[in-house]
Each structure stands twice: as C-alpha cells, then as structure tokens.
Amino acid sequence: MVISPSEQCLFAARVRSGHELKMRERLDSLGVRHYIPSRIVTRVRGHKNFKVEAPVIPNLIFLFCTKTLALSLANGYGLPISLS
C-alpha cells in the first residue's frame, strides 16, 4: 500500500525509553494529534506510595498526521522519533 504525502494516517513512532510523556508535551505544543496509551500505577519509594502515569506500551507513541508531517517531525523539528 502506497501512502500519499497528503493523506492522514496513523503512524507508530518509537521514542527513547522514559520520554513518552515528555514527547506528549512537545507534540501538544506543535498541535500534532497523537495517542499514548497510559495508566496510573502505584510505585513505592521507601515507605511512601506514589501514583504516577506510566505508558502501557513502552517506547511507542501513535501519530495521526500526514506522511510529510511525520517525517518533518523526525527531521526538521529534531524530535527523537523513528517511524515504523
């Protein structure tokens, strides 16, 4: 299947470990539609419990955009993603 540069599609993009939620903020500021499946987990440090948001699928975000925009995010904006 050939994707035209102006057709909006869903792309899976790999990010560095632990940078999923930071990448969400950067994509929000650029106005790019994205999805990161996440859940609230309880982590224990010492004797305290903390609730934090953690991605369900590590190192992966989904972008809904054109092929041209997806490639420019990786190349032009310097976002550390690689399209799959």
Side-chain angles (χ1 to χ4, degrees):
M1 179 176 154
V2 177
I3 300 171
S4 70
S6 61
E7 181 183 359
Q8 289 206 347
C9 297
L10 188 66
F11 294 96
R14 289 200 165 273
V15 296
R16 288 185 286 182
S17 178
H19 286 82
E20 299 91 352
L21 302 179
K22 292 177 188 174
M23 187 61 64
R24 176 174 58 190
E25 295 171 3
R26 292 184 71 184
L27 291 172
D28 282 338
S29 68
L30 293 172
V32 177
R33 289 179 58 190
H34 61 281
Y35 177 67
I36 302 172
S38 61
R39 62 186 171 149
I40 303 296
V41 296
T42 303
R43 302 238 169 108
V44 179
R45 288 191 185 170
H47 297 290
K48 293 188 179 185
N49 295 337
F50 294 95
K51 290 187 179 183
V52 295
E53 184 178 9
V56 175
I57 307 170
N59 306 339
L60 193 66
I61 59 173
F62 298 98
L63 304 172
F64 185 72
C65 58
T66 62
K67 181 179 180 181
T68 306
L69 178 60
L71 293 175
S72 70
L73 287 172
N75 297 327
Y77 289 101
L79 297 179
I81 61 173
S82 59
L83 299 174
S84 302

